[in-house]
């Protein structure tokens, strides 16, 4: 049985497929000299070669020890676990392992292993397990993720995260995501279900927390950013996501900071930065724990964020001021228009009144009696009692009874101070009855 025990005292021996017969017999000789030992039971290992399996180590008489059998089983389980991943997963995992084992050579505090080897009894494994001093880390790479990735995967990832925590490991996730659903106009990011669970909390996030707790006291804070906050009293909890992808020929990690918000679908978070890229190797720099950031970039981004907030706030209030001033202007113009109309109406009334007085003067006090005609009476009545067409006809039908004495009718209007035909009508009727 193939035992995949290429690790001897933590040194990786790579056995290329093209190993020549000479090299095989050389390795076999070295094994004869007791050079290779099982890292678990320390028993001597021999080198075997098969057409199908290639080159491999084996316990004597093919009797694998319990521990190596356990690891073997764990490896099979792990292989199944990563079946859904793309080739990128394998590449990233290999780089991760290389990078960290290189660092481990110069750092006695650092211990690196494959997840299934370090923790074979788990149900699910991190890709890489790391111990730094007394802290353990579970590093996992998830590829083949879209924003709408199925909820099965999401549940599985969340469960895995929980398991790692329960076993005293600090989980670190690198997500290879094909697209990010960022709503730029709303300053928000729509998260994949699992992201809410696996987002990290780092010292940089705590720095973000502290500046945010201050600015969100501004009740209009989210309004300035056009962000549809899910509820009024958001507790400030900034988290980080690490997106991994290849940029040209390098593998980079994009560090994304977000403020947790909606905890039900659609999972939305307030975006704090556009995300910045760091080379994968830099992301794996170790100081007590994984640095996973460029603190100077974060510091700069926090300053930028505050500036942006102040700018948006000022812009918002300036817009409000302009709008209010415009409304004020419209109101004032409407008032002025009203005033002008009122003045015009008064002017018209005055004119009419003057005209009326003039006419009364001319007609009423004239010393030279003059015969008034129908046209004159009509125009006098139009101006003074607003005589209309229908009333005019009625008046005309009355006139024969009054012997066409137009002056007589006008005198009645003046004497009785008539203001309408309705007032004049009964007076005319009385006059008519007297004349008969
Ligand atoms: Zn063994």
């Amino acid at each position: 049985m193939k035992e995949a025990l290429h690790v001897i005292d933590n040194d990786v021996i790579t056995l290329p497929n093209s190993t020549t017969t000479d090299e095989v017999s050389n390795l076999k000789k070295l094994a004869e000299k007791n050079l290779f030992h099982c890292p678990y039971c320390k028993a001597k290992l021999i080198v075997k070669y098969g057409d199908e399996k290639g080159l491999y180590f084996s316990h004597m008489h093919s009797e694998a020890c319990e521990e190596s059998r356990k690891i073997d089983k764990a490896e099979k389980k792990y292989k199944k676990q990563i079946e859904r991943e793309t080739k990128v997963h394998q590449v990233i995992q290999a780089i991760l392992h290389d990078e960290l084992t290189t660092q481990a050579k110069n750092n006695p505090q650092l211990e690196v292993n494959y997840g299934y080897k370090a923790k074979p009894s788990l149900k699910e494994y991190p890709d890489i397990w790391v111990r730094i001093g007394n802290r353990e880390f579970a590093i996992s790479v998830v590829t083949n993720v879209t924003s709408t990735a199925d909820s099965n995967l999401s549940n599985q990832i969340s469960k895995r995260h929980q398991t790692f925590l329960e076993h005293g490991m600090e989980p670190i996730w690198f997500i290879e995501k094909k697209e990010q659903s960022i709503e730029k106009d709303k300053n928000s990011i729509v998260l994949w279900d699992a992201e809410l669970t696996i987002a990290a909390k780092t010292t940089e996030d705590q720095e973000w927390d502290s500046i945010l707790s201050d600015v969100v006291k501004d009740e209009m804070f989210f309004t300035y950013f056009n962000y549809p906050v899910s509820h009024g009293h958001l507790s400030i909890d900034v988290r980080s996501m690490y997106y991994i992808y290849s940029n040209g020929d390098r593998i980079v990690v994009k560090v994304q900071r977000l403020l947790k918000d909606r905890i039900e679908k659609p999972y939305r978070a307030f975006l704090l930065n556009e995300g910045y890229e760091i080379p994968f190797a830099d992301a794996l720099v170790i100081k007590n724990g994984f640095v996973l950031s460029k603190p100077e970039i974060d510091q700069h981004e926090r300053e930028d964020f505050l500036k942006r907030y102040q700018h948006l706030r000022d812009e918002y209030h300036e817009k409000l001021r302009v709008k209010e001033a415009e409304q004020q202007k419209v109101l004032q113009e409407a008032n002025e228009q009203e005033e002008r109309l009122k003045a015009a109406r008064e002017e018209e009334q005055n004119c009419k009144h003057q005209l009326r007085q003039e006419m009364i003067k001319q007609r009423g006090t004239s010393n030279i009696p003059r015969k008034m005609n129908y046209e004159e009476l009509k125009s006098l009545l139009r101006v003074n009692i607003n005589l209309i067409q229908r009333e005019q006809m009625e008046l005309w039908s009355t006139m024969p009874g009054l012997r066409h004495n137009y002056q007589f009718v006008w005198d009645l209007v003046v004497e009785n101070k008539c203001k309408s035909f309705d007032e004049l009508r009964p007076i005319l009727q009385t006059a008519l009855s007297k004349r008969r």
Side-chain angles (χ1 to χ4, degrees):
M1 70 192 307
K2 186 179 177 181
E3 282 154 287
L5 292 173
H6 307 284
V7 180
I8 282 91
D9 293 333
N10 261 350
D11 273 324
V12 177
I13 297 183
T14 45
L15 301 173
N17 289 333
S18 57
T19 312
T20 62
T21 328
D22 278 356
E23 282 166 330
V24 173
S25 64
N26 189 37
L27 276 169
K28 279 184 174 175
K29 274 176 200 156
L30 289 173
E32 286 299 315
K33 286 177 181 165
N34 248 348
L35 216 69
F36 304 127
H37 298 273
C38 167
Y40 310 108
C41 68
K42 309 293 175 203
K44 176 186 167 186
L45 294 179
I46 54 167
V47 170
K48 287 184 175 177
Y49 184 84
D51 283 341
E52 273 178 40
K53 298 178 191 170
L55 202 56
Y56 63 98
F57 290 105
S58 171
H59 286 76
M60 299 284 282
H61 320 293
S62 297
E63 285 169 352
C65 66
E66 200 183 321
E67 192 61 21
S68 72
R69 257 191 260 234
K70 204 167 143 191
I71 304 283
D72 217 32
K73 234 173 101 187
E75 189 188 12
K76 282 193 185 107
K77 232 160 60 179
Y78 172 67
K79 288 244 164 83
K80 212 166 175 71
Q81 177 187 309
I82 59 170
E83 258 173 9
R84 62 162 301 284
E85 307 292 345
T86 63
K87 278 182 183 156
V88 176
H89 180 269
Q90 223 178 327
V91 173
I92 294 171
Q93 195 214 33
I95 296 174
L96 254 172
H97 192 265
D98 271 10
E99 187 65 42
L100 294 170
T101 42
T102 306
Q103 285 195 52
K105 275 178 191 159
N106 304 310
N107 185 350
Q109 289 278 303
L110 180 62
E111 200 183 327
V112 182
N113 205 346
Y114 291 101
Y116 71 89
K117 280 188 183 173
K119 302 274 174 182
S121 53
L122 290 183
K123 283 203 178 84
E124 288 182 278
Y125 311 101
D127 294 311
I128 303 289
W129 168 88
V130 175
R131 191 207 301 278
I132 305 169
N134 54 8
R135 291 169 75 185
E136 287 181 53
F137 295 88
I139 307 181
S140 309
V141 178
V142 188
T143 60
N144 208 5
V145 176
T146 58
S147 295
T148 52
D150 65 299
S151 52
N152 271 351
L153 173 63
S154 161
N155 287 340
Q156 211 179 332
I157 299 291
S158 300
K159 227 170 77 191
R160 214 177 282 169
H161 183 87
Q162 204 52 44
T163 306
F164 300 161
L165 284 174
E166 279 161 15
H167 285 81
M169 294 179 273
E170 300 173 36
I172 296 172
W173 297 87
F174 293 107
I175 307 286
E176 191 221 22
K177 205 171 169 190
K178 292 279 181 266
E179 86 276 358
Q180 272 193 309
S181 9
I182 288 178
E183 303 168 302
K184 221 163 176 180
D185 59 321
K186 291 197 184 79
N187 209 76
S188 84
I189 178 167
V190 177
L191 299 171
W192 169 49
D193 307 14
E195 286 175 318
L196 209 61
T197 318
I198 65 176
K201 184 84 184 177
T202 66
T203 50
E204 290 301 330
D205 298 309
Q206 282 159 3
E207 292 284 332
W208 277 99
D209 280 353
S210 96
I211 72 153
L212 278 178
S213 327
D214 202 35
V215 287
V216 294
K217 284 180 193 149
D218 184 341
E219 281 181 3
M220 303 291 284
F221 178 79
F222 292 109
T223 311
Y224 304 146
F225 288 90
N226 194 32
Y227 176 76
V229 68
S230 67
H231 55 100
H233 301 283
L234 194 70
S235 63
I236 301 303
D237 186 5
V238 173
R239 297 293 178 124
S240 304
M241 287 300 306
Y242 305 111
Y243 295 107
I244 196 161
Y245 48 90
S246 58
N247 191 351
D249 55 352
R250 313 181 305 155
I251 290 184
V252 293
V253 175
K254 187 174 175 190
V255 182
Q256 189 91 62
R257 312 274 184 217
L258 38 95
L259 173 62
K260 258 175 122 173
D261 179 11
R262 273 183 69 96
I263 48 165
E264 53 197 39
K265 275 189 173 181
Y267 303 95
R268 185 185 274 126
F270 180 70
L271 207 54
L272 294 166
N273 67 349
E274 295 226 345
Y276 61 87
E277 284 180 1
I278 47 179
F280 191 34
D282 291 5
L284 300 175
V285 169
I286 289 162
K287 283 181 195 163
N288 303 321
F290 287 91
V291 173
L292 277 167
S293 68
K294 291 271 180 201
E296 65 281 6
I297 297 184
D298 265 288
Q299 182 57 34
H300 190 252
E301 290 203 328
R302 280 192 292 272
E303 284 161 13
D304 271 359
F305 181 81
L306 281 180
K307 274 185 209 151
R308 196 166 147 233
Y309 154 64
Q310 280 151 6
H311 174 75
L312 288 173
R313 181 192 58 192
D314 294 349
E315 196 180 63
Y316 180 87
H317 288 294
E318 181 56 29
K319 266 187 198 161
L320 212 64
R321 260 198 300 279
V322 169
K323 209 171 154 189
E324 273 170 3
E326 268 170 11
Q327 278 172 349
Q328 197 60 41
K329 207 176 144 196
V330 168
L331 207 67
Q332 200 183 331
E333 273 170 7
N335 280 340
E336 280 169 9
Q337 179 72 6
E338 183 68 19
E339 286 295 320
R340 275 196 297 274
L341 276 174
K342 211 171 137 194
R345 270 198 301 272
E346 271 170 17
E347 175 73 18
E348 196 192 336
Q349 288 299 324
N350 280 342
C351 282
K352 271 193 180 170
H353 182 71
Q354 268 176 13
L355 187 62
R356 210 176 292 144
Q357 292 303 317
E358 198 60 35
M359 284 173 162
I360 291 167
K361 220 163 97 190
Q362 275 181 13
R363 274 289 140 197
T365 62
S366 175
N367 292 328
I368 310 147
R370 179 162 79 75
K371 224 173 156 67
M372 184 188 278
N373 63 29
Y374 180 60
E375 282 309 312
E376 276 177 294
L377 176 66
K378 223 164 59 182
S379 63
L380 273 170
L381 293 183
R382 263 190 216 140
V383 172
N384 286 280
I385 65 166
N386 297 316
L387 189 77
I388 58 170
Q389 190 71 31
R390 177 174 52 75
E391 294 165 341
Q392 200 179 297
M393 311 253 292
E394 200 180 330
L395 175 70
W396 181 244
S397 67
T398 319
M399 284 323 288
L402 296 171
R403 297 190 192 93
H404 287 96
N405 191 342
Y406 304 113
Q407 181 67 52
F408 173 71
V409 174
W410 174 242
D411 288 343
L412 284 177
V413 171
V414 176
E415 274 163 33
N416 294 287
K417 293 182 179 127
C418 291
K419 287 194 182 65
S420 68
F421 190 72
D422 286 336
E423 283 176 23
L424 179 60
R425 189 185 290 111
I427 294 162
L428 282 177
Q429 277 160 0
T430 311
L432 258 177
S433 63
K434 277 183 188 162
R435 289 238 167 179
R436 270 188 201 123

